[in-house]
Amino acid sequence: MSPKTLYDKIWDTHVAHESEDGTCLLYIDRHLVHEVTSPQAFEGLRMTGRKVRAPEKTIAVPDHNVPTTHGRENPDQMTEDSRIQVAALDKNAKDFGIHYYPVSDIRQGIVHIVGPEQGWTLPGMTVVCGDSHTATHGAFGALAHGIGTSEVEHVLATQTLIQKKSKNMKVEITGKLKPGVTAKDITLAVIGATGTAGGTGYVIEYCGEAIRDLSMEGRMTVCNMAIEGGARAGLIAPDEKTYEYVKGRPHAPKGEQFEAALAWWKTLFSDDDAHWDKVITLKGEEIQPVVTWGTSPEDVLPITATVPNPEDFKGGKVEAAKRSIEYMGLTPGQKLTDIKIDTVFIGSCTNGRIEDLRAAADIVKGKKIKDGMRAMVVPGSGLVRKQAEEEGLAQIFKDAGFEWRLAGCSMCLAMNPDQLAPGERCASTSNRNFEGRQGYKGRTHLVSPAMAAAAAITGHLTDVREMM
Amino acid sequence: MDKFEKLSGIAAPMPLVNIDTDMIIPKQFLKTIQRSGLGKNLFDEMRFDREGKEIADFVLNKPQYREAQILVAGDNFGCGSSREHAPWALLDFGIRSVISNSFADIFYNNCFKNGILPIVLPQEAVDVLMKDAEKGSNARIEIDLENQVVTSSDGETFSFEIDAFKKHCLLNGLDDIGLTMEKGSAIDAFEAKAAAARPWV
């Protein structure tokens, strides 16, 4: 047999049909559904009299619209259109008989946090969701990617996707990370190196010592932003940490089935002499805590740097950088650490897991947020929230002046009431710094949870290493 | 889905790189449970001020581009979220084709499900067509999907690549789900085989 990458192996295991031109029907093991990108798909099924082919493999949870404040069971907390969208998911889940975690369930949370937490996501699976950050699940060595609503309908009806194979890219992070440098800094540094279109047409496998050293939470952070680099998916080969994380989760296999699964999972790695269409290597010890200055996730610089001059870029990026710097209200040459922050958001499918909250709480402990600062922590799921309360993290945040919220996507995309006002500047642990992403004319700097916590204390972008 | 065979239309120039799906259709418009009616919100934050008044220098507000059916855009068009509301909004506005040097993967796929043709051309070709589009409503760009050719208003032609299956579906306005369901027995067989090999899934 010819050598294969991890992606090749998962792909080959899931091809249900291949046409002569190479167009494949890829079988989907898990389909995650949320309220924003699914109503039109369910409506399509109704109009054509189609059913959900595999309801037992379909899991739904409302996350994008839901308020994160207490009393959210009260529908008055939502706008009319949000209420309709969440109600539609309630109804569709019931009508089509799919697994469902309603807002009232403690297991509710961001779909990409709930999936792994409940053991729905397992190594070697194909996982899709009508959400680009489905890439998150790649941390388990699952082929996971976002799809549009028409494809959601296609998967609901047929449990397959029409696909052509992507190319293989290896992103290796060698060596050890320095203190203060996290999974978020790795994933942003990779996008900074490749650009937001650098991964287009590829599935990325992240590997190397620095990746192996990451926890499952960290690996999810890295894979989560594969899409920001343009890749279809990001993958990390499963290892002992993966098996340990999965074991005992509600929907993970048990007993003999677990052993059988484990035997197969251990074959899920890229062969030594597998072919890579593109290889990128970064040295882990050279990665610094980073921050974005512009309105694209590729606008990444070490926290010690200064705002760039647009003229230093090439091609279309010159105009784009001018526009970004104007939008962000910055001046070329300004030190990044001199940028004042109004708001800190800790949460999202990128950084809303327990380890992220621990990292932020470590910095915050015994301190107060800067006067006038608005700071919020939005745990990624009800269970993350509960665990953080049990570990005393919630109290640390509350004592420091943070708002301690209920689970949801919240200010990552500001579909719920958590939004930036025009001109408001946020240090955010989320994944996109696009214009208007966190609110009309809002200004976003993407950072790690520790860096966000540091900014909340000092009131400006801060090198977290100075606070450790 | 409407067929796409040939199109002769006004092209609007949008040279900005990395036009993301939040720009194409901001999140406040994702709360709809329908596919239609999003054209009025296309590029909302670039097109209108907070009072809902048109921003005069935005390309689609200029008289010569109000009827545009084609966008000629900067690199990495459609990056960001998977929201199909982006092609729905473009289509509802009347855009049937976008020409760029590259597209984000999910957006690219979403276009084909909605009868929109995304065309990838080398940067030099995009530059020529961008200049052409800047001429306004007198410069109509022609697109011929069958022959995979774009023709500028000056008659300069550029051929483009496209996946044969995607082309077939677009030319005939075919419904993917119906086509896949015809392969139901292959899916049944796969499911049985996979359940035996990986019963824990």
Side-chain angles (χ1 to χ4, degrees):
Chain A
M1 267 203 319
S2 58
K4 289 180 177 180
T5 64
L6 171 57
Y7 171 50
D8 297 337
K9 290 179 184 179
I10 303 174
W11 176 272
D12 290 349
T13 315
H14 288 84
V15 175
H17 181 273
E18 182 164 359
S19 300
E20 279 174 22
D21 72 346
T23 303
C24 292
L25 284 181
L26 194 70
Y27 192 83
I28 301 304
D29 293 326
R30 292 287 180 264
H31 186 190
L32 308 174
V33 175
H34 67 81
E35 80 277 19
V36 179
T37 56
S38 67
Q40 294 87 349
F42 285 110
E43 190 54 24
L45 294 186
R46 283 199 181 87
M47 280 162 58
T48 48
R50 289 167 178 153
K51 292 195 173 81
V52 175
R53 182 181 167 104
E56 73 283 3
K57 293 171 181 168
T58 312
I59 300 100
V61 58
D63 56 5
H64 283 58
N65 278 279
V66 296
T68 57
T69 40
H70 287 280
R72 65 178 179 175
E73 322 64 71
N74 179 352
D76 290 348
Q77 284 218 7
M78 272 190 267
T79 57
E80 176 72 12
D81 44 8
S82 288
R83 199 158 48 231
I84 289 170
Q85 213 165 44
V86 173
L89 188 64
D90 286 342
K91 179 171 164 48
N92 288 329
K94 189 159 166 259
D95 288 358
F96 290 93
I98 62 182
H99 298 279
Y100 189 48
Y101 302 105
V103 174
S104 56
D105 193 313
I106 191 168
R107 298 168 296 177
Q108 179 272 344
I110 306 170
V111 64
H112 307 307
I113 294 196
V114 173
E117 196 170 71
Q118 292 300 317
W120 291 112
T121 307
L122 299 172
M125 281 185 161
T126 46
V127 181
V128 296
C129 175
D131 190 285
S132 57
H133 293 112
T134 310
T136 311
H137 307 264
F140 291 79
L143 176 60
H145 58 89
I147 55 177
T149 298
S150 294
E151 290 178 315
V152 169
E153 186 178 342
H154 192 280
V155 176
L156 288 172
T158 70
Q159 206 57 29
T160 64
L161 259 189
I162 301 172
Q163 292 276 289
K164 272 204 172 158
K165 205 172 166 201
S166 304
K167 291 179 282 185
N168 279 290
M169 186 193 310
K170 175 158 93 169
V171 173
E172 185 175 17
I173 315 293
T174 60
K176 300 264 183 215
L177 297 181
K178 290 269 172 63
V181 181
T182 68
K184 183 65 165 286
D185 301 299
I186 292 181
T187 204
L188 282 170
V190 171
I191 299 161
T194 63
T196 48
T200 304
Y202 293 93
V203 164
I204 294 175
E205 181 177 340
Y206 299 95
C207 60
E209 185 182 357
I211 297 291
R212 285 285 135 230
D213 283 350
L214 292 174
S215 65
M216 288 311 295
E217 284 85 353
R219 293 178 190 184
M220 284 189 254
T221 301
V222 170
C223 289
N224 172 276
M225 291 190 70
I227 181 69
E228 258 51 73
R232 171 158 294 181
L235 284 170
I236 294 173
D239 61 12
E240 292 300 328
K241 284 182 188 168
T242 321
Y243 317 142
E244 192 55 37
Y245 180 98
V246 164
K247 198 172 186 177
R249 303 251 161 204
H251 295 279
K254 312 270 182 315
E256 278 179 27
Q257 290 233 333
F258 184 84
E259 296 308 317
L262 189 61
W264 184 60
W265 295 344
K266 288 185 172 174
T267 68
L268 298 175
F269 54 84
S270 291
D271 297 327
D272 284 342
D273 38 2
H275 172 75
W276 298 98
D277 300 290
K278 192 169 174 180
V279 177
I280 285 172
T281 306
L282 296 186
K283 290 182 180 157
E285 56 275 4
E286 287 181 3
I287 299 175
Q288 297 189 54
V290 292
V291 51
T292 62
W293 52 268
T295 55
S296 165
E298 71 190 10
D299 299 338
V300 174
L301 281 172
I303 182 66
T304 50
T306 55
V307 176
N309 188 335
E311 304 301 337
D312 294 342
F313 294 96
K314 286 188 197 131
K317 189 69 187 173
V318 177
E319 282 306 311
K322 269 187 204 160
R323 185 185 168 97
S324 288
I325 287 172
E326 190 188 336
Y327 180 89
M328 292 296 289
L330 300 174
T331 313
Q334 183 179 5
K335 284 173 74 176
L336 292 173
T337 47
D338 285 346
I339 297 173
K340 293 223 165 19
I341 295 296
D342 306 306
T343 298
V344 165
F345 170 68
I346 297 175
S348 85
C349 59
T350 313
N351 282 131
R353 283 168 287 268
I354 190 69
E355 183 177 278
D356 302 314
L357 305 195
R358 286 180 192 142
D362 258 359
I363 300 298
V364 167
K365 194 168 186 176
K367 303 189 183 80
K368 296 275 182 205
I369 60 171
K370 183 83 177 173
D371 280 348
M373 172 75 58
R374 170 162 77 136
M376 65 170 92
V377 181
V378 184
S381 73
L383 291 174
V384 168
R385 185 172 197 274
K386 180 165 173 276
Q387 187 178 352
E389 287 176 348
E390 287 165 1
E391 292 185 12
L393 308 180
Q395 201 56 48
I396 292 173
F397 289 121
K398 286 193 265 189
D399 289 348
F402 279 83
E403 296 175 47
W404 178 245
R405 296 295 192 88
L406 300 170
C409 299
S410 182
M411 203 188 268
C412 173
L413 85 167
M415 272 189 83
N416 80 344
D418 306 332
Q419 302 186 6
L420 296 181
E424 194 175 346
R425 188 183 297 281
C426 181
S428 178
T429 66
S430 55
N431 42 56
R432 292 199 173 122
N433 51 353
F434 295 159
E435 289 181 22
R437 173 78 178 182
Q438 294 192 291
Y440 181 74
K441 301 284 183 200
R443 293 164 171 166
T444 304
H445 296 278
L446 301 176
V447 288
S448 73
M451 290 277 284
I457 305 298
T458 63
H460 55 84
L461 291 177
T462 297
D463 189 338
V464 69
R465 293 171 295 193
E466 292 168 6
M467 292 178 70
M468 291 169 66
Chain B
M1 185 175 92
D2 287 344
K3 289 179 188 181
F4 190 114
E5 292 167 307
K6 283 186 181 171
L7 175 67
S8 169
I10 298 162
M14 292 193 77
L16 189 65
V17 299
N18 295 331
I19 292 178
D20 59 66
T21 52
D22 279 78
M23 286 179 178
I24 298 171
I25 185 84
K27 71 263 174 183
Q28 59 269 35
F29 306 110
L30 308 187
K31 298 186 183 188
T32 175
I33 56 170
Q34 296 174 326
R35 284 177 155 96
S36 55
L38 288 167
K40 62 181 184 296
N41 309 117
L42 177 70
F43 294 114
D44 186 82
E45 291 178 2
M46 301 164 95
R47 203 167 135 207
F48 304 104
D49 66 17
R50 279 270 95 170
E51 280 73 50
K53 243 181 63 195
E54 286 186 2
I55 296 169
D57 67 352
F58 180 68
V59 62
L60 296 178
N61 288 334
K62 294 180 182 171
Q64 62 269 39
Y65 295 115
R66 286 178 176 268
E67 304 298 320
Q69 290 178 283
I70 301 166
L71 292 184
V72 183
D75 210 5
N76 200 27
F77 188 87
C79 59
S81 99
S82 67
R83 60 187 71 165
E84 199 161 316
H85 309 68
W88 293 339
L90 287 165
L91 185 68
D92 196 51
F93 180 88
I95 303 292
R96 292 298 307 275
S97 180
V98 186
I99 300 170
S100 178
N101 180 229
S102 74
F103 292 89
D105 186 44
I106 305 176
F107 174 84
Y108 184 79
N109 283 324
N110 282 342
C111 284
F112 286 97
K113 313 291 181 189
N114 294 283
I116 296 174
L117 174 61
I119 298 176
V120 180
L121 286 173
Q123 193 59 50
E124 309 79 68
V126 174
D127 291 344
V128 171
L129 293 168
M130 193 73 73
K131 285 257 177 313
D132 203 28
E134 283 163 6
K135 293 178 190 164
S137 50
N138 293 324
R140 296 179 84 84
I141 287 178
E142 283 180 37
I143 297 167
D144 177 348
L145 175 56
E146 177 65 46
N147 294 304
Q148 299 179 208
V149 175
V150 180
T151 308
S152 75
S153 63
D154 299 333
E156 197 172 348
T157 60
F158 305 95
S159 57
F160 60 90
E161 294 297 316
I162 183 171
D163 176 77
F165 177 73
K166 287 191 165 84
K167 175 180 172 181
H168 173 72
C169 290
L170 209 49
L171 278 173
N172 297 289
L174 297 178
D175 161 27
D176 278 353
I177 299 177
L179 288 176
T180 297
M181 286 187 128
E182 289 172 13
K183 302 185 181 99
S185 59
I187 302 172
D188 291 341
F190 176 87
E191 228 166 27
K193 196 181 75 179
R198 293 175 290 122
W200 61 85
V201 172

